[in-house]
Amino acid sequence: MASNLSFTAITDFPLTLGKFPNHPQRIHPFPLLPLNTSSENGSFKCFASSRRRMTSPLVAHAVKEEVIDQSPNSEATLGSETTPPSSSKLVLVVGGSGGVGQLVVAALLNRNIKSRLLLRDPEKAVALFGKQDEEKMQVYKGDTRNPEDLDPSLFEGVTHVICCTGTTAFPSRRWDGDNTPERTDWEGVRNLVSALPSTLKRIVLVSSVGVTKFNELPWSIMNLFGVLKYKKMGEDFVLKSGLPFTIIRPARLTDGPYTSYDLNTLLKATAGKRRAVVIGQGDKLVGEVSRIVVAEACIQALDIEFTEGEIYEINSVEGEGPGCDPRKWKELFKNPQSQ
């Protein structure tokens, strides 16, 4: 049984951190008040405005790691001064307390884009993002593994969805409460997609590289407990749903020890240099990618029409990246590597 096994994970997939309720619970709003998303020392202004102070130490840490050795003229400084006014979007973020999800939420808040979070443990939203005005961020309690939690009221007014749920590839304490790849990456995604309204403008699903090759080495090792197989099943369900979608397949996730117990803690010294972005198609990319890059890719894809119905792999490498410049992201998505 999973609880009797001990493994050291050799990769890290997007995951949520919420605790499980003992019984299925109906979703209810958890109104919060305003976040100040900024870093006094950082200049990655997609996530941090120089005029505001970040209240979340976890998100602040992630941003700080991304801007190590970054010059004032770096491309990654774009964003804050050109942040558009409040958007007509209402983005539902599923898995918003995980390593990628919390960065997605922070970026949406900084852009004045209204967000709604579905969390197993709503109190985590306060710890991560501070108190927020309900007009800016709403938090609902729920679990995608429980279809009854996905009440229609959760989706009222929602225009876009970013789903970055997940768990570890190998048995760990994160599997406690039946938080396995099958339950999270397959059943949870299936339940969520089945409940989404047909009026949705886009769902962005964070998956993983290697999902089409889970029977081949070295991916078969990663798939010993089915994580790649179940992620692919989740992808396929999205593809067949008839909903407008974009799927982002990150390589091995780096940046920040805030959700990781593996090599990511050792990589943080160099993570700030990995701002250049490589986007591919055909499940050919291998390597690693900054969580900050993945979060930004998800948000940028929402507004790029030709990314609808597409699947992209994403890596980050040393060098200057697109920051949050929509023109540069559009060019990257327009010219993905195919081999």
Side-chain angles (χ1 to χ4, degrees):
M1 295 179 63
S3 59
N4 295 325
L5 295 175
S6 176
F7 289 81
T8 299
I10 56 176
T11 189
D12 193 18
F13 291 94
L15 58 126
T16 49
L17 296 176
K19 292 192 180 245
F20 297 96
N22 293 327
H23 303 285
Q25 300 179 27
R26 299 287 290 183
I27 301 169
H28 58 83
F30 191 89
L32 305 171
L33 296 171
L35 161 77
N36 299 315
T37 55
S38 122
S39 170
E40 292 182 350
N41 300 320
S43 56
F44 194 85
K45 296 182 182 177
C46 296
F47 294 92
S49 167
S50 59
R51 288 179 260 185
R52 286 177 280 177
R53 181 167 299 177
M54 181 172 291
T55 60
S56 166
L58 295 183
V59 177
H61 174 75
V63 174
K64 182 178 179 181
E65 294 303 336
E66 184 66 12
V67 299
I68 293 175
D69 298 329
Q70 185 168 302
S71 68
N73 296 323
S74 168
E75 293 171 348
T77 64
L78 297 169
S80 177
E81 307 306 324
T82 58
T83 298
S86 186
S87 168
S88 60
K89 295 188 186 77
L90 171 54
V91 182
L92 174 66
V93 182
V94 187
S97 63
V100 172
Q102 66 179 280
L103 294 168
V104 168
V105 175
L108 291 172
L109 287 167
N110 195 64
R111 285 167 162 86
N112 295 317
I113 298 174
K114 189 173 181 179
S115 60
R116 182 175 294 168
L117 280 58
L118 178 67
L119 297 176
R120 296 167 181 169
D121 181 4
E123 292 183 1
K124 288 187 177 292
V126 179
L128 289 169
F129 311 114
K131 292 185 176 181
Q132 292 297 313
D133 190 289
E134 192 174 8
E135 289 301 310
K136 196 169 185 181
M137 186 180 80
Q138 304 164 353
V139 180
Y140 282 59
K141 181 179 177 67
D143 187 336
T144 57
R145 299 172 308 160
N146 301 326
E148 59 269 28
D149 280 2
L150 303 176
D151 189 273
S153 63
L154 172 66
F155 307 107
E156 289 180 1
V158 169
T159 58
H160 300 77
V161 174
I162 297 177
C163 178
C164 33
T165 56
T167 187
T168 55
F170 297 93
S172 70
R173 65 177 184 174
R174 297 177 201 165
W175 281 29
D176 292 350
D178 204 22
N179 191 39
T180 62
E182 180 177 11
R183 294 282 281 131
T184 302
D185 293 310
W186 162 230
E187 295 180 17
V189 170
R190 180 194 63 197
N191 293 338
L192 173 66
V193 173
S194 297
L196 292 176
S198 60
T199 55
L200 193 72
K201 293 183 178 179
R202 188 80 64 91
I203 174 174
V204 175
L205 175 69
V206 179
S207 181
S208 172
V209 297
V211 294
T212 67
K213 302 179 287 188
F214 59 78
N215 286 323
E216 305 172 15
L217 286 171
W219 307 104
S220 57
I221 298 174
M222 198 64 55
N223 192 56
L224 282 173
F225 294 89
V227 68
L228 296 179
K229 178 182 75 172
Y230 292 123
K231 283 182 180 291
K232 183 61 166 64
M233 289 170 66
E235 285 190 10
D236 290 344
F237 197 83
V238 171
L239 266 65
K240 296 174 183 177
S241 69
L243 294 170
F245 71 87
T246 303
I247 293 173
I248 303 293
R249 293 171 173 168
R252 189 176 68 83
L253 293 166
T254 66
D255 269 349
Y258 39 94
T259 61
S260 176
Y261 297 89
D262 54 26
L263 291 177
N264 293 337
T265 55
L266 302 177
L267 295 170
K268 63 181 181 179
T270 58
K273 299 178 182 180
R274 303 181 68 84
R275 299 186 299 272
V277 176
V278 179
I279 289 181
Q281 287 188 304
D283 208 2
K284 304 293 185 182
L285 288 185
V286 293
E288 55 191 31
V289 60
S290 162
R291 286 182 173 91
I292 294 178
V293 168
V294 176
E296 186 63 25
C298 291
I299 293 173
Q300 292 288 341
L302 296 179
D303 291 321
I304 302 176
E305 289 187 10
F306 62 76
T307 63
E308 180 180 328
E310 298 291 338
I311 302 174
Y312 300 97
E313 292 80 47
I314 186 167
N315 279 3
S316 57
V317 295
E318 288 193 13
E320 297 302 323
C324 46
D325 186 338
R327 297 166 299 175
K328 294 178 180 179
W329 277 101
K330 189 173 184 178
E331 194 64 25
L332 283 167
F333 279 118
K334 187 178 180 179
N335 299 290
Q337 296 183 8
S338 59
Q339 56 182 6

